[in-house]
Amino acid sequence: MSVTTLRRLAFILCLASCQVFAQGYPDENPSLPYAKQDDGKFLRKHGVNLARAKSGPVGLLFIGDSITDNWRKAPHIWDAYYGKYQAANFGIGGDRTQHVIWRIEHGELDGIAPKVTVLMLGTNNSLHNSAAEIAAANRKIIGMIRTRLPHTKVLLLGVFPRGPRDRFGGPVTPALVAEAATRMATIDALNSELAKMDDGKTVRYLDISRAFLGQDGKIPFSIMPDQLHPGAAGYQIWADAMQPLLDEMMK
């Protein structure tokens, strides 16, 4: 039995034990708080974030999903660009807007005062929610950040592009191609809405999507090996593309 087959079987078993929770996602309002129901990883990561907030100063905060969380896989880039800012990574894999709203309501911004919060969120909502719904949730999150951290600026990133993918590493089927197209249509519309939230002062919007695309308009596997999460080359692109605006906002 191949490794890919074993991974598929393991994931199917996981789904069988967690299917009640997974089925609940489409019915969740993306602008209301929900604790993600999984094997406990969400609450454990939330606890880690709370501990980081209490452990010392946070000059720069990243909030998001697995794309943000996976900065941990490129520590050399993270340290080189953000170490001087006493940066904290509050990304949790699989998070949707409603999960971040829950996290904020349960203390993740308490006791910290970052100069800038980098926010990117919505790719995990892109199949079950409309661009307008996801944009409204992002607007709410920005409001929550500004209310709790009135001296903190928000650097709002456009949601990164994603390509057709089988999460187990299997062949890409026509159905997966269609799903990716549906998600990207939502993401493109969402980014257009997010751009309107830039007020030129406390909230700045930055879309670096094109930096991840090749000349053919597709995402090179060298940048995003699974067509969703950046590899080291992708995080380097992110850091370089964001740094000029971040430098300006951190002054």
Side-chain angles (χ1 to χ4, degrees), residues 48-160:
V48 169
N49 293 346
L50 293 177
R52 171 64 183 90
K54 294 178 181 179
S55 69
V58 175
L60 172 64
L61 177 65
F62 284 68
I63 298 178
D65 47 41
S66 58
I67 297 173
T68 295
D69 189 26
N70 281 359
W71 266 112
R72 305 175 200 279
K73 297 182 179 180
H76 59 297
I77 303 173
W78 175 272
D79 291 342
Y81 283 76
Y82 313 125
K84 61 185 176 182
Y85 299 133
Q86 297 175 306
N89 182 344
F90 284 7
I92 296 183
D95 265 20
R96 304 182 185 199
T97 53
Q98 57 265 41
H99 306 134
V100 169
I101 290 171
W102 184 93
R103 290 200 271 134
I104 293 174
E105 288 196 352
H106 287 79
E108 289 198 7
L109 300 184
D110 294 355
I112 61 175
K115 186 166 287 187
V116 174
T117 293
V118 178
L119 173 68
M120 182 176 66
L121 202 61
T123 196
N124 292 321
N125 293 83
S126 61
L127 192 60
H128 297 295
N129 299 116
S130 68
E133 290 171 334
I134 306 169
N138 270 273
R139 187 176 293 107
K140 178 176 180 176
I141 291 169
I142 292 171
M144 296 173 77
I145 295 171
R146 297 289 300 138
T147 297
R148 287 166 171 78
L149 307 173
H151 302 295
T152 297
K153 298 176 183 178
V154 178
L155 201 176
L156 177 63
L157 293 178
V159 175
F160 292 171

Side-chain angles (χ1 to χ4, degrees), residues 130 158 203 216:
S130 68
V203 179
D216 59 358

